[in-house]
Amino acid sequence: MINQAQVDQFRAQGYLVVEDLLDPGSLAAVRSEYETMMDGLYAGWQRAGRVPAADGLGFFDKLDLAVHAGVEWYQPCDISLPHNDIAADTPMHIGPAVFDMVTHQRVLDTVEALIGPEISSNPIQHVRIKPPQREVSGDETRAHIVQTDWHQDQGVTLEEADATEFITVWLAITDATEDNGCLQVAHGGEDRLLPHCPQNGQVGLPADFRPTDTAKPLPVKAGGAVIFHPLTPHASLVNRSQNYRWSFDLRYHVTGQPSGRPQFPSFVARSRARPQSELRDWREWQRMWDMTRAHLAATPHQDQHRWPADAAYCA
């Protein structure tokens, strides 16, 4: 549990760095789960003749070969569906170690200190696995892979959630440094929703609203987290290192309030008033996502963002 001084800092500045939020055993479980997943993905790509043999290689070595081969490696690793082009077989990863991370006691204790004891897991959450920038294809624009543009988390929700109390727990699985593309924040925060633009494959702040003069890098070690208020502008630095940077965006909102992405499933992660309402089986979470995917694959596209690309501030 964070202390009152940390809560006060979050209230005043709109962000908080918390070291050692996830214990080493939970970190190892997530890494092991992804290692097993990558083994299966890689075997399929190899059978299809798309990647070379990789006997004895680990997660990052196989991932690096996949990046160089140009196969679609990101979406099978993500814990959510993409913005569009959802098909009945669109891959995503829902597993027990990830579920245990999302519902980890220390994570939820910290969230409770900031938004209260009735907590839902918000579906606007992703894995971010950032390759060294020099290895990324020139036409790759997804914020989960390349440098993330300046934005506010409320800016990637629909208007229905503008009054929702929610926070983002950006959880580092590998050390995040200035060299490998850690987050940066607008020091001092922001108290209003700024305009955003769909641009360069992302939704971000237009040039006139980017707080580059107050940018503060926030390095954090594996297991640590950066926690954001939804109005706090933030971005990532470029990964200029030779290594991959891995993190998760985990979001939580007050149960009963709109999630900002109603077509995706939320679940009750903690409830002091109704503990029987908490989801405790990762397989049910997986079932919820599977049902959502099947439904969305058979229905017209539903926008996930509110911002027009032709607005004057986007010019």
Side-chain angles (χ1 to χ4, degrees):
M1 177 72 74
I2 57 175
N3 59 39
Q4 187 59 48
Q6 290 172 301
V7 173
D8 292 343
Q9 178 189 335
F10 180 82
R11 302 275 186 244
Q13 298 183 352
Y15 72 93
L16 182 66
V17 177
V18 181
E19 297 288 358
D20 301 319
L21 188 59
L22 200 64
D23 62 276
S26 297
L27 271 176
V30 170
R31 292 167 179 159
S32 177
E33 184 168 286
Y34 268 74
E35 184 102 27
T36 299
M37 177 190 63
M38 180 58 69
D39 288 346
L41 289 171
Y42 200 92
W45 297 327
Q46 189 175 342
R47 286 193 298 270
R50 304 197 63 190
V51 293
D55 296 341
L57 297 183
F59 175 79
F60 284 113
D61 290 324
K62 289 182 175 178
L63 176 60
D64 198 51
L65 290 170
V67 169
H68 284 94
V71 300
E72 173 47 46
W73 59 270
Y74 173 75
Q75 186 55 46
C77 294
D78 200 14
I79 60 172
S80 178
L81 290 167
H83 176 257
N84 53 18
D85 298 327
I86 297 171
D89 61 351
T90 296
M92 57 183 165
H93 177 70
I94 304 294
V98 169
F99 180 78
D100 288 348
M101 174 182 65
V102 171
T103 58
H104 194 282
Q105 179 177 332
R106 277 151 69 176
V107 173
L108 294 180
D109 286 348
T110 300
V111 173
E112 180 175 350
L114 297 173
I115 67 171
E118 304 305 311
I119 302 167
S120 282
S121 172
N122 186 285
I124 310 176
Q125 52 188 12
H126 298 279
V127 67
R128 294 183 185 266
I129 302 177
K130 307 267 188 171
Q133 185 61 37
R134 66 178 182 278
E135 298 184 9
V136 178
S137 169
D139 58 1
E140 178 59 77
T141 60
R142 286 174 289 182
H144 320 304
I145 300 174
V146 298
Q147 179 182 17
T148 306
D149 289 344
W150 282 100
H151 67 285
Q152 297 164 296
D153 283 345
Q154 189 172 316
V156 298
T157 68
L158 296 176
E159 292 95 326
E160 65 161 27
D162 279 354
T164 293
E165 296 175 83
F166 75 92
I167 58 173
T168 299
V169 178
W170 186 96
L171 189 57
I173 305 301
T174 59
D175 291 353
T177 67
E178 291 187 48
D179 190 41
N180 72 11
C182 72
L183 292 182
Q184 53 182 335
V185 65
H187 190 61
E190 180 61 63
D191 60 4
R192 64 189 175 108
L193 180 61
L194 300 171
H196 288 62
C197 292
Q199 55 191 358
N200 303 321
Q202 301 187 37
V203 173
L205 298 176
D208 290 346
F209 293 89
R210 294 173 194 159
T212 52
D213 56 334
T214 61
K216 177 181 179 179
L218 300 175
V220 63
K221 292 187 178 299
V226 182
I227 302 175
F228 289 106
H229 186 277
L231 291 177
T232 300
H234 58 283
S236 75
L237 298 170
V238 174
N239 184 355
R240 303 186 187 281
S241 76
Q242 300 181 39
N243 301 310
Y244 286 73
R245 195 266 280 160
W246 182 4
S247 63
F248 286 91
D249 288 350
L250 307 180
R251 292 198 177 107
Y252 303 88
H253 66 271
V254 172
T255 299
Q257 297 180 353
S259 72
R261 196 157 295 174
Q263 66 270 41
F264 285 2
S266 303
F267 69 83
V268 176
R270 172 173 288 180
S271 175
R272 301 296 189 185
R274 297 181 63 247
Q276 69 275 14
S277 67
E278 297 174 2
L279 186 66
R280 298 192 174 101
D281 187 342
W282 73 271
R283 288 163 294 197
E284 177 61 19
W285 190 37
Q286 182 182 56
R287 188 188 70 83
M288 293 163 66
W289 275 106
D290 287 346
M291 291 178 61
T292 296
R293 176 176 55 193
H295 171 70
L296 294 177
T299 58
H301 171 67
Q302 301 178 44
D303 285 336
Q304 295 184 23
H305 301 298
R306 68 179 81 180
W307 307 102
D310 58 356
Y313 49 77
C314 297

